[in-house]
Amino acid sequence: MAQAIRLHQVKSPLKASCQQCSLSNLCLPLAIEDNDLERLEDIVQQGRIFNRGEHIFDQSTQFRSCFAVKSGSVKTSIITEGGEEQVTGFFMPGELIGLDSMSGDHYACTAKALERTSVCEFPVEKLEDLTGKIPGLQHHMYHLMSQEIQNSHQLTMLLSKNTAEERIAALLLSLSSRFQRRRMSGTNFSLPMPRNDIANFLGLAVETVSRVFTRFQNQGIIKARGREVELLDVEALQMVTRDFSRQGCQ
Amino acid sequence: MAQAIRLHQVKSPLKASCQQCSLSNLCLPLAIEDNDLERLEDIVQQGRIFNRGEHIFDQSTQFRSCFAVKSGSVKTSIITEGGEEQVTGFFMPGELIGLDSMSGDHYACTAKALERTSVCEFPVEKLEDLTGKIPGLQHHMYHLMSQEIQNSHQLTMLLSKNTAEERIAALLLSLSSRFQRRRMSGTNFSLPMPRNDIANFLGLAVETVSRVFTRFQNQGIIKARGREVELLDVEALQMVTRDFSRQGCQ
DNA sequence: GTATGCCATTGATATGAATCAACTTGGTCG
DNA sequence: CGACCAAGTTGATTCATATCAATGGCATAC
């Protein structure tokens, strides 16, 4: 569990170029002006690297910054006093971590690199200054936070209304579309997280996750060997997730 | 959390006094300057009244404003294409609704008055303008949205790890503390929502909610007759919710 | 007063997923 | 190479809660 907390100030060699970043339209507003972008670049610390298992921050860390994932992937989770863990999200390149922590002086969750991961750091103090000056950026922050709330509500719904199969199908499809957005294969990818984290995130036991994977495989919907996954029948997966929203109606 | 405004309807002009509102320190930042407060009052439309069952907005409504509950209470829920409902929250006086909708052009959920309810309306466009000019207000918005994310994560955890008893105990305690904050009794209150909504919110069947209520009652922890609830043994309730966070550890 | 409906409660039964318990598989290291 | 450990799979059993079904208030309407 406990890993090195790497928050030392590696002054990034590159005062970086958000412009050149292929992910910029994900973590930044599309309509941002060039000179505004420069101001953002002024406050960003780029290129922080974390190895698999390393904490980007945890709940005992003073809240200081939000982080955008550049490459790799991150899992966030809440750990109770009892030591129980609840995974609250998986973050892929272009996604912003730490929005849930902007109301306290410590981080509200723990963020751990699932693989070798690089992130950009946005010191909140400077970020708040800047969003106060650039309306488009402020709007974007509201947008992102709002989105985060919606995502969480989606998860709530998944947990409260859906079967194990539906939850897993939904996760696979979510990952698929997020890979696709990065112009990677949406049908053939490698899960960045172990079964354990999937189970925890979806409110299931590991064994159940495993069983559903093999069931899907036997039905010819997916092919899975370890973390390598191939979606053989995306439509079938979509059917699985949708069936539940049907039954309420009619 | 968010809390708002309980002004007496006597005040006729729409431009009303957030200053006089006893809830102001909840929905507004504590440190806001007097003249800034006036600017906020300029954009707020106070005193909109909704009867029980009326929609403040729904998912087909163009997103325009956030709303602070002044009196009464509101339930928000997502309704799927299939017509299935997922209650995402209950909002009491001083709490702000609509933060989850700031990323689209329509509301992300449906908000329905659980009883006769009055709200203050904050047109987002004006609100964004203003938060851009008043750093404290912007900070407060971030704070509120972040809080909302955390709340949702708490709910996620509740749904994924806790038994029916634990979920219901947690809800009762949450309501209790929110009543107390308004200087009302934290042990003797009237539930604003039917069992149905409680069940939906907590991912349970109505019958289960009912059974747990009677079980708690038989154990002498609460007294409940319809919506009237009395918490007879708050500590016992807290034990119920905590037991789970223990078992993970040691 | 009785009828109509909604909401809540209670009981009997069914079931999906958790839990417990082996047993693989694959990678790492001495 | 074989030992070891973590991660994943599979099977047998249990359990909490859903579901189905019926009944009991308590309003409002007639």
Side-chain angles (χ1 to χ4, degrees), chain B residues 37 39 68-69 73 82 107 126 143 164 174:
Chain B
L37 196 55
R39 293 207 271 170
V69 179
S73 52
Y107 285 94
K126 292 178 185 170
H143 183 94
S174 164

Side-chain angles (χ1 to χ4, degrees), chain A residues 6-194:
Chain A
R6 290 197 148 200
L7 277 181
H8 49 248
Q9 302 277 105
V10 189
K11 180 54 187 174
S12 97
L14 16 147
K15 168 184 161 184
S17 51
C18 294
Q19 284 135 328
Q20 287 162 28
C21 177
S22 65
L23 296 167
S24 62
N25 56 343
L26 292 172
C27 85
L28 299 174
L30 291 156
I32 199 166
E33 308 258 332
D34 266 7
N35 52 343
D36 286 341
L37 195 56
E38 274 174 34
R39 293 207 272 169
L40 185 64
E41 285 168 4
D42 280 340
I43 73 164
V44 177
Q45 291 168 30
Q46 293 209 11
R48 310 265 317 265
I49 305 276
F50 297 87
N51 288 316
R52 166 202 269 230
E54 283 182 341
H55 282 34
I56 296 160
F57 54 78
D58 66 33
Q59 281 149 277
S60 66
T61 314
Q62 198 87 10
F63 174 57
R64 177 160 308 170
S65 302
C66 290
F67 296 85
V69 179
K70 270 174 78 172
S71 67
S73 51
V74 174
K75 122 183 143 176
T76 54
S77 57
I78 300 171
I79 301 183
T80 65
E81 325 85 60
E84 230 184 356
E85 179 179 18
Q86 171 67 52
V87 175
T88 54
F90 301 113
F91 293 80
M92 318 270 285
E95 298 171 352
L96 203 57
I97 312 174
L99 296 178
D100 59 342
S101 301
M102 295 188 70
S103 58
D105 50 346
H106 290 266
Y107 285 94
C109 64
T110 291
K112 197 176 185 178
L114 287 166
E115 54 194 314
R116 191 168 172 81
T117 295
S118 90
V119 300
C120 297
E121 177 171 356
F122 298 81
V124 269
E125 223 172 274
K126 292 177 184 169
L127 187 59
E128 284 197 30
D129 278 354
L130 204 56
T131 58
K133 288 170 193 149
I134 308 173
L137 193 57
Q138 185 198 47
H139 184 80
H140 193 65
M141 280 295 286
Y142 290 149
H143 183 95
L144 290 176
M145 295 184 83
S146 166
Q147 201 67 253
E148 191 84 5
I149 299 169
Q150 283 185 43
N151 286 343
S152 188
H153 286 165
Q154 281 305 117
L155 181 59
T156 299
M157 181 137 68
L158 210 62
L159 294 184
S160 101
K161 299 237 187 315
N162 294 55
T163 64
E165 293 198 354
E166 289 160 350
R167 298 183 205 183
I168 288 172
L171 178 64
L172 288 174
L173 288 172
S174 165
L175 290 172
S176 166
S177 73
R178 286 148 88 189
F179 276 116
Q180 261 186 311
R181 202 175 41 187
R182 293 159 54 198
R183 300 189 188 161
M184 301 175 66
S185 168
T187 57
N188 220 306
F189 49 86
S190 176
L191 298 170
M193 73 295 283

Side-chain angles (χ1 to χ4, degrees), chain A residues 82 84-86 99-100 102-103 128 131-132 138-139 142-143 145-146 150 152 157 160-161 244-245 249, chain B residues 82 84-86 99-100 102-103 128 131-132 138-139 142-143 145-146 150 152 157 160-161 244-245 249:
Chain A
E84 230 184 356
E85 179 179 18
Q86 171 67 52
L99 296 178
D100 59 342
M102 295 188 70
S103 58
E128 284 197 30
T131 58
Q138 185 198 47
H139 184 80
Y142 290 149
H143 183 95
M145 295 184 83
S146 166
Q150 283 185 43
S152 188
M157 181 137 68
S160 101
K161 299 237 187 315
F244 85 94
S245 49
C249 170
Chain B
E84 230 184 355
E85 180 179 17
Q86 170 67 52
L99 295 178
D100 58 342
M102 296 187 67
S103 59
E128 284 197 32
T131 58
Q138 186 198 47
H139 184 80
Y142 289 149
H143 183 94
M145 295 184 83
S146 166
Q150 283 185 43
S152 188
M157 181 136 68
S160 101
K161 300 239 187 312
F244 86 94
S245 48
C249 167

Side-chain angles (χ1 to χ4, degrees), chain B residues 68 172 177:
Chain B
L172 288 174
S177 73

Side-chain angles (χ1 to χ4, degrees), chain B residues 52-68:
Chain B
R52 167 203 268 229
E54 282 182 343
H55 283 32
I56 295 159
F57 53 77
D58 65 33
Q59 280 151 276
S60 66
T61 313
Q62 198 86 10
F63 174 58
R64 177 159 306 173
S65 303
C66 291
F67 295 86

